[in-house]
Amino acid sequence: MNARSIRSIHARRVWDSRGRPTVEAELILDDGAVGRAITPAGASKGTREAFELRDATARFGGLDVMQAVANVNGEIARALVGSSADDQTALDERLIALDGTLAKTRLGANATLAVSMAASHAVAASLGVPLYQYLGGPDATLLPMPQIQIFGGGAHAGRRVDIQDFMIVCPGAHNFGQALEWTAEVYRSAGVLMQERGSRFGVADEGGWWPDFTTNEQALETLVTAIESAGFVPGEQVAIALDVAASEFGRHGRYTLGLESRELDSDGLIELLLRWIDRYPIASIEDPLAEDDLEGFARFTQAAGHRLQIVGDDFLVSHAPLIRQAAAMGAANTVLLKPNQRGTLTETLQAWQVAQSLGYAAIVSARSGETEDTTIVHLAIGWQTGQLKVGSFARGERMAKWNEALRIEERLGPRARFAGAGVFGRNPVKARGSRA
Ligand code: PGA
Ligand code: ZN
């Protein structure tokens, strides 16, 4: 019998960072190795994401996951126990076939993903290597550029501002640890600025400061001031990354900026964003247009894709066919990878492989509803994507990821490489962003 055949699979209901139920799976191999993983949950989701199964009961506001848990303990366990976990692709294909639907509406992507990730952890444990090394082999030495939220917004902050994430990246940092140090300084100085203006009202869902601003642009201004007052050169050492999450306030080519009581069409929103790119040191913009606005996406990419990273999240939902479609239109140049948008590691990896073959970059990303699970850190390093987005620099479920990456950096020692400014290579941030 194969040493790495599955002895047992068990799921339980645990709780995420918003106090909502989610699925944890534990998988034990015949040699005794254990793998455990927890599925995260989004709040501003793309409509084409794989299906998250929530119970049709009133419990916890209709968010309970006992059916998904039962699906793991019943059908999935019956189908997989006794089979080998060695081949992740084969295991994930069994999960996909067992579910039998396109979007995993039957078993739930929250059920299948917990099992998929737990299996990878169990095999890594059985081999006695860290997960990133099991996934990427000896070449998995590239620490990602972190994208870290300073102000929250959008669906993560009661729509207090329209833009969802005001983040920073550190193209001037020499290693991952230093990027975190710089982020800590900027996060702190942003907090001091908010305190000084009497606007420090706690944090949003992902740990960014609560966005008490009168315009979206005021958040950008404050962010640049925070970078400067922390002692960094905006655009050179530390640059801005935005997640507009435009699907949250726009569809059919109409966009409503609630904070500013403004309605824009696609071209109006594109113009606004181009103005921001001219005015602020922005290195990356995610979902600048809504998921149904493929043409707007393509026009924006044509106008700005040579200058910055344009990321598809709700737009591409880690889905290989959508990435192909976007590439055919020249829409976006980077894909956000969220495993629970698909429900297995294999499908998420396929999205990255297709993206790479089409010249797209990738960012592995957390969800706004997270836990102590650190699997995504190992995916970013194991798959060598070069970028990682986890939310802010506060709250345990976020810090668990940053701290895990620090451990890996230390473990790699002199072999550790850092993605650095190279990830924005096509479009140097440096030359831009003077606030004249
Ligand atoms: P979500 O947000 O996890 O709530 O979908 C994260 C993002 O949009 O990147
Ligand atoms: Zn997003």
Side-chain angles (χ1 to χ4, degrees):
M1 185 191 284
N2 188 319
R4 281 185 278 280
S5 69
I6 299 169
R7 181 197 294 166
S8 68
I9 300 178
H10 175 70
R12 63 178 66 88
R13 181 181 69 197
V14 294
W15 304 90
D16 75 11
S17 54
R18 281 189 279 248
R20 295 176 182 172
T22 187
V23 182
E24 174 171 88
E26 207 164 277
L27 190 147
I28 305 179
L29 302 180
D30 269 344
D31 64 5
V34 181
R36 201 174 64 199
I38 310 177
T39 302
S44 77
K45 298 194 284 190
T47 57
R48 291 170 291 200
E49 294 191 16
F51 185 72
E52 186 180 71
L53 184 59
R54 301 280 184 179
D55 296 351
T57 66
R59 229 176 4 208
F60 313 123
L63 293 171
D64 209 355
V65 293
M66 294 314 286
Q67 186 56 52
V69 166
N71 289 346
V72 176
N73 291 332
E75 247 189 272
I76 292 177
R78 277 198 301 278
L80 294 187
V81 167
S83 69
S84 167
D86 267 325
D87 183 341
Q88 182 74 36
T89 312
L91 182 140
D92 286 338
E93 276 166 3
R94 294 192 67 171
L95 285 171
I96 294 164
L98 184 66
D99 176 83
T101 69
L102 278 177
K104 304 198 178 55
T105 43
R106 211 175 64 75
L107 297 172
N110 43 348
T112 57
L113 181 68
V115 174
S116 176
M117 294 194 300
S120 72
H121 280 287
V123 175
S126 170
L127 293 167
V129 298
L131 180 58
Y132 70 88
Q133 197 179 319
Y134 166 52
L135 296 170
D139 295 335
T141 56
L142 183 68
L143 270 291
M145 170 68 73
Q147 240 182 52
I148 305 187
Q149 189 191 70
I150 305 298
F151 299 114
H156 302 155
R159 298 182 197 286
R160 184 63 192 75
V161 294
D162 303 289
I163 306 303
Q164 182 179 286
D165 296 310
F166 296 89
M167 300 173 286
I168 58 166
V169 289
C170 299
H174 298 296
N175 56 55
F176 179 82
Q178 188 174 47
L180 290 193
E181 287 174 14
W182 291 9
T183 302
E185 298 282 20
V186 175
Y187 184 72
R188 204 180 61 80
S189 80
V192 170
L193 287 174
M194 296 307 268
Q195 178 101 41
E196 282 169 2
R197 27 184 297 197
S199 294
R200 186 148 147 185
F201 303 131
V203 299
D205 277 10
E206 297 190 354
W209 298 114
W210 186 259
D212 182 43
F213 300 109
T214 49
T215 63
N216 291 290
E217 204 165 341
Q218 198 177 60
L220 285 168
E221 290 281 349
T222 310
L223 187 47
V224 175
T225 307
I227 293 169
E228 283 166 349
S229 68
F232 301 108
V233 183
E236 273 184 44
Q237 291 174 295
V238 178
I240 293 174
L242 298 178
D243 183 359
V244 177
S247 303
E248 290 292 310
F249 59 86
R251 51 196 295 231
H252 305 315
R254 305 297 306 174
Y255 296 88
T256 308
L257 294 175
L259 181 59
E260 297 159 27
S261 309
R262 266 208 287 177
E263 189 157 322
L264 300 168
D265 61 10
S266 298
D267 285 329
L269 181 57
I270 289 171
E271 237 172 77
L272 175 73
L273 294 175
L274 291 174
R275 218 167 35 242
W276 287 356
I277 294 163
D278 282 336
R279 213 167 142 73
Y280 303 97
I282 298 172
S284 179
I285 298 192
E286 180 177 329
D287 286 341
L289 294 133
E291 60 172 49
D292 68 354
D293 198 349
L294 175 60
E295 273 141 32
F297 241 104
R299 284 202 301 283
F300 183 66
T301 307
Q302 196 162 33
H306 59 290
R307 296 173 62 182
L308 80 167
Q309 176 165 277
I310 298 171
V311 187
D313 172 16
D314 298 343
F315 177 55
L316 300 172
V317 292
S318 313
H319 198 29
L322 290 175
I323 297 166
R324 284 203 188 89
Q325 186 190 52
M329 294 280 293
N333 56 30
T334 302
V335 53
L336 207 73
L337 297 174
K338 291 171 164 171
N340 80 324
Q341 288 180 329
R342 299 272 52 91
T344 62
L345 288 184
T346 298
E347 288 160 283
T348 315
L349 176 59
Q350 268 163 8
W352 169 219
Q353 286 164 341
V354 165
Q356 241 177 327
S357 74
L358 295 167
Y360 281 49
I363 307 168
V364 172
S365 171
R367 301 305 306 241
S368 51
E370 271 293 335
T371 66
E372 69 273 25
D373 186 285
T374 60
T375 307
I376 54 165
V377 177
H378 291 265
L379 301 184
I381 298 169
W383 293 348
Q384 303 279 283
T385 61
Q387 297 186 69
L388 178 63
K389 178 188 176 194
V390 167
S392 193
F393 209 65
R395 300 181 49 138
E397 78 279 5
R398 313 291 147 186
M399 305 320 291
K401 274 74 157 175
W402 303 132
N403 291 339
E404 179 74 351
L406 281 178
R407 288 180 204 107
I408 297 173
E409 185 179 44
E410 184 182 278
R411 184 189 169 104
L412 287 169
R415 292 170 56 229
R417 297 171 295 133
F418 179 51
V423 293
F424 310 113
R426 277 166 308 199
N427 28 61
V429 189
K430 197 177 164 189
R432 298 181 289 105
S434 57
R435 283 189 305 163

